[in-house]
Amino acid sequence: MEEQKEQARPTATETASSWAATHHTTPVEPLEHLVSEEDIRRGEQAGARRSKDPGLLRFFAILNGGLILTALAIVLFKTPNHFAFGGTSGVSVILSTLFPTLPVGAFMWIINIVLVVLGFIFLERKAILWSVFASFALSGYVSLFEMLFPGASTTSITGDMWLDLCFAVILPAIGSAMVFDIGASTGGTDILAMILKRHSTLEIGRALLLVDIGIVCIAAVLYGPRVGLYCVLGLFAKTLVVDKAIESIHLRKVCTIICKEPLKVETYIVKELNRTATISRGYGAFSGQLVTVIMCVLSRREAVKLRRYAREVDPGCFITIVDSSEIVGKGFRGVN
């Protein structure tokens, strides 16, 4: 009897053949006839808005915001503790110790001017335009904050080196993430990286890391093993936190839904979220039943709304939501 039941039960292949035989048109029902012209227009506007690069005013504001956070970290947390993690700020901290007649901001001006001159010699001017501005603007903000906080260069505002280290890492990480998100840079060693990339076969990341390690070693010799070890922690933490901050800004949710009411979920995605989705057919490994698989990429807030709605229309639906920080395509700006 059991053998007869197994023989009578259709396989997944037979189910697929049966479905294909009865459906001679598009395997997935398009939603064009379910949405109005207003819905389509609103969806296109939302997609264009998400894809649009920031305007010049917003670009300038974000760039300066990131540079201000970086400058605050240099003046308030790096300089008084001699945190030299690398880059122009790390070199400037060391030079201000060796030559105490000049503050950190002055040495940043000198180093950045040298790098900018090298950039104009070895690179196209268009390629370094924003890097030049960022280099000088960061130096200017550092000098400004040194005047506004005259005692900060010698005395920690918290008195806790560990707390200062946290903010010396976090603030520049947030600032760099803001700047990188709009396609700019904080200047400084970025110009050196572009020169090395264009005129040598040297691996840029490894070369800059070696330079940073060298700066940390010099700091350990000048300021002792305690500060040196803090600089080592800061160097590694800086890389990790910057990467995480950039990923957090770019983070999107890839949602996959299998439910009993796929048309309702698809309609909700198109009409309410102003998004679209990719629809595919699948088969349950155990039951062999045909199911509709809905896949779409949303923001975190949109993913929460979709999950809530899908659970309302089908409490037993199957949902997977995974993170992705590199989304390229219509409706997404760059790789965000």
Side-chain angles (χ1 to χ4, degrees):
M1 182 68 68
E2 292 296 329
E3 292 180 356
Q4 292 178 351
K5 288 182 178 180
E6 288 295 329
Q7 293 175 356
R9 181 181 175 182
T11 64
T13 303
E14 291 171 343
T15 304
S17 300
S18 175
W19 179 85
T22 56
H23 294 74
H24 301 290
T25 58
T26 306
V28 176
E29 182 179 0
L31 299 181
E32 289 181 332
H33 66 285
L34 298 179
V35 296
S36 64
E37 291 292 334
E38 177 63 23
D39 293 328
I40 295 174
R41 186 186 61 81
R42 190 171 62 249
E44 290 177 347
Q45 288 179 345
R49 186 171 60 252
R50 298 185 191 107
S51 303
K52 185 174 62 175
D53 289 328
L56 182 60
L57 184 62
R58 184 166 175 262
F59 179 95
F60 190 76
I62 294 174
L63 176 60
N64 281 274
L67 295 175
I68 288 172
L69 290 178
T70 304
L72 281 172
I74 293 172
V75 174
L76 299 180
F77 303 109
K78 287 187 177 182
T79 303
N81 296 285
H82 306 301
F83 288 153
F85 303 154
T88 56
S89 63
V91 175
S92 299
V93 168
I94 292 174
L95 290 176
S96 68
T97 301
L98 297 176
F99 307 98
T101 54
L102 292 177
V104 172
F107 282 109
M108 288 192 67
W109 275 104
I110 295 171
I111 295 171
N112 282 323
I113 287 173
V114 171
L115 290 175
V116 167
V117 171
L118 291 174
F120 278 118
I121 293 173
F122 294 103
L123 298 172
E124 296 179 2
R125 294 188 178 183
K126 291 182 179 179
I128 63 168
L129 180 61
W130 284 112
S131 295
V132 170
F133 170 81
S135 298
F136 289 151
L138 181 59
S139 301
Y141 286 131
V142 170
S143 297
L144 174 63
F145 292 139
E146 284 177 339
M147 290 187 292
L148 294 177
F149 307 101
S153 60
T154 56
T155 305
S156 168
I157 62 173
T158 66
D160 186 336
M161 186 175 283
W162 177 251
L163 185 61
D164 285 351
L165 178 66
C166 292
F167 280 93
V169 171
I170 292 173
L171 289 182
I174 296 174
S176 297
M178 292 169 58
V179 173
F180 293 156
D181 184 54
I182 58 175
S185 73
T186 55
T189 52
D190 290 336
I191 298 176
L192 180 61
M194 287 189 288
I195 295 173
L196 291 173
K197 183 178 180 181
R198 182 164 184 174
H199 296 278
S200 73
T201 58
L202 190 65
E203 292 185 19
I204 307 305
R206 180 176 298 180
L208 294 179
L209 178 61
L210 290 175
V211 171
D212 289 344
I213 291 174
I215 294 171
V216 169
C217 292
I218 295 173
V221 173
L222 281 177
Y223 309 121
R226 182 167 180 259
V227 174
L229 290 175
Y230 270 111
C231 290
V232 171
L233 285 177
L235 176 61
F236 287 104
K238 178 183 73 171
T239 303
L240 295 175
V241 175
V242 168
D243 289 343
K244 291 298 181 182
I246 294 173
E247 287 183 3
S248 179
I249 292 177
H250 293 165
L251 193 65
R252 294 295 182 267
K253 301 291 185 178
V254 181
C255 306
T256 304
I257 301 174
I258 300 174
C259 65
K260 297 177 181 178
E261 299 288 348
L263 189 58
K264 290 183 179 180
V265 174
E266 295 166 30
T267 304
Y268 180 82
I269 293 172
V270 173
K271 297 188 68 172
E272 301 300 327
L273 301 181
N274 295 316
R275 295 281 191 177
T276 186
T278 298
I279 312 300
S280 58
R281 298 297 188 183
Y283 302 91
F286 177 76
S287 65
Q289 293 181 348
L290 178 69
V291 296
T292 299
V293 182
I294 306 170
M295 191 279 287
C296 60
V297 181
L298 306 172
S299 66
R300 279 172 281 197
R301 182 178 299 179
E302 292 167 341
V304 171
K305 292 180 180 179
L306 179 61
R307 181 179 60 187
R308 185 182 300 119
Y309 179 79
R311 296 282 292 176
E312 288 177 359
V313 298
D314 180 9
C317 66
F318 182 80
I319 304 174
T320 60
I321 301 177
V322 297
D323 294 337
S324 178
S325 59
E326 293 191 14
I327 307 294
V328 180
K330 186 178 180 180
F332 299 90
R333 180 169 58 84
V335 289
N336 66 341

